């Protein structure tokens, strides 16, 4: 496949492919878990399943399913990547988590793949460990403040004599 190196990177970084994900796909170590996540997305766009396989943790419960990976390359038109949240995964970290949304079109239908992916360092290189599909945010808790309870603003007054007085 001929590759135009002046192409914008598929990962949505705003950088050119040759200055972003392509060096990682070609063997350079990803500096962060997020960079690995972005390069794996680009590898799917480019059809590079060897890179996807190589960046899986060696101790995963299930090995990389190459047949399923080929389906994701052949039958899915990946349309964009949005990084939602990153926890750890920096140059001094040993683990990291990247929550992302990948937009796609398959069989005439558009969809999203929402995942919270876990990464770790293995022999000094970032690898994909596993992912939680469609992660849910923790439930919101609403705390009722009684009229005679201390005011949550921290004034030291009773709620009824402070913020509750205006209610």
């Amino acid at each position: 496949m001929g590759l135009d190196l002046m192409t914008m990177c598929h990962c949505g970084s705003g950088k050119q492919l040759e200055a972003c994900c392509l060096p990682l796909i070609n063997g350079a170590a990803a500096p962060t878990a997020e960079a690995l996540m972005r390069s794996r997305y680009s590898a799917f766009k480019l059809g590079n399943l060897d890179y996807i396989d190589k960046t899986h943790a060696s101790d995963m419960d299930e090995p990389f399913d190459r047949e399923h990976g080929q389906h994701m390359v052949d039958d899915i038109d990946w349309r964009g990547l949005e990084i939602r949240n990153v926890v750890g995964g920096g140059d001094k970290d040993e683990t990291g988590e990247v929550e992302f949304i990948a937009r796609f079109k398959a069989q005439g239908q558009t969809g999203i793949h929402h995942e919270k992916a876990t990464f770790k360092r293995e022999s000094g290189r970032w690898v994909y460990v596993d992912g939680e599909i469609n992660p849910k945010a923790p439930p919101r808790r609403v705390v009722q403040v009684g009229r005679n309870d201390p005011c949550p603003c921290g004034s030291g007054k009773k709620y009824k004599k402070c913020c509750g007085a205006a209610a």
Side-chain angles (χ1 to χ4, degrees):
M1 154 179 26
L3 189 60
D4 177 8
L5 297 181
M6 299 304 285
T7 300
M8 295 305 285
C9 194
H10 303 291
C11 78
S13 67
K15 299 176 185 173
Q16 290 182 346
L17 181 61
E18 69 179 353
C20 191
C21 290
L22 195 58
L24 305 181
I25 293 169
N26 287 336
T32 65
E34 180 182 350
L36 181 66
M37 175 60 241
R38 289 180 176 279
S39 67
R40 286 172 54 86
Y41 175 84
S42 291
F44 271 113
K45 282 284 289 182
L46 296 170
N48 189 329
L49 295 179
D50 290 337
Y51 180 72
I52 299 298
D53 191 15
K54 184 173 72 173
T55 56
H56 270 74
S58 62
D59 59 353
M60 288 182 72
D61 291 337
E62 297 180 28
F64 176 61
D65 182 345
R66 196 166 192 94
E67 185 177 322
H68 180 68
Q70 193 64 53
H71 159 70
M72 292 176 71
V73 167
D74 294 341
D75 301 333
I76 298 175
D77 179 15
W78 296 101
R79 299 271 177 109
L81 178 67
E82 174 189 341
I83 303 297
R84 283 282 179 95
N85 191 36
V86 177
V87 177
D91 59 349
K92 300 205 182 328
D93 296 317
E94 291 299 312
T95 61
E97 197 175 83
V98 180
E99 182 179 351
F100 67 94
I101 290 180
R103 290 173 179 26
F104 66 89
K105 187 170 186 178
Q107 299 175 345
Q109 301 290 316
T110 58
I112 64 167
H113 173 85
H114 184 190
E115 181 176 342
K116 187 186 298 182
T118 305
F119 299 87
K120 70 176 182 179
R121 286 192 192 268
E122 195 171 87
S123 302
R125 297 177 74 94
W126 285 108
V127 292
Y128 173 82
V129 176
D130 63 14
E132 177 187 351
I133 307 299
N134 297 323
K136 303 289 183 234
R140 289 182 48 192
R141 290 188 56 215
V142 177
V143 178
Q144 293 287 351
V145 179
R147 292 177 31 81
N148 290 317
D149 291 339
C151 191
C153 76
S155 68
K157 297 178 184 178
K158 288 185 177 184
Y159 178 69
K160 69 181 177 187
K161 294 285 187 180
C162 191
C163 295

